[in-house]
Amino acid sequence: MITRQSEDSFGCGHCWPSSANAAWQARARLSCEVELINESHFHVMILVCPKCSQRFVSVFTEQIDWVEGEDPQSWTLLPITPPEAASLSQLGSALTEPGLHALGQGRRSLRCDYPKEAGPRCFWSTGIHVLLHD
């Protein structure tokens, strides 16, 4: 059985390792519990760790580059509490961007950006960042 880390740090070593790059790789092992918003350039879902049942809200944004076709993309992954997961699931597609911005303020989150004309970078941040999207 996988034990959770402290409530402040969330998750386990399987889903929320200390390195941002390792956490990005761990994201691929999370299962989708529910899709909240499923648009081609704005996708919000709740993911769950199969080992410790930690839930995360995942936010994907993409802005179309009509000139050169290299579309900037960004992901934010934030661990959430069971009450937050229930509230988000209840809201579903009625979830708003201000509601996402208000979630987990000050809580450590993972960002992975694929900017135009630069290599990808993963880093620790706080809260949810909903970037421009089409």
Side-chain angles (χ1 to χ4, degrees), residues 16-90:
W16 205 232
S18 60
S19 155
N21 287 327
W24 177 245
Q25 292 174 356
R27 183 191 178 280
R29 295 188 298 268
L30 302 176
S31 301
C32 180
E33 184 172 83
V34 62
E35 290 186 343
L36 302 169
I37 299 171
N38 189 5
E39 299 173 5
S40 59
H41 301 113
F42 183 46
H43 192 200
V44 181
M45 59 185 157
I46 296 175
L47 304 176
V48 62
C49 175
K51 300 286 185 184
C52 73
S53 300
Q54 173 65 56
R55 285 167 176 73
F56 298 85
V57 64
S58 173
V59 178
F60 165 77
T61 57
E62 180 177 29
Q63 189 172 20
I64 296 175
D65 177 1
W66 294 104
V67 177
E68 297 175 1
E70 192 175 330
D71 300 346
Q73 300 176 343
S74 179
W75 283 263
T76 301
L77 188 66
L78 177 79
I80 54 177
T81 65
E84 289 169 335
S87 177
L88 290 170
S89 293
Q90 187 174 16

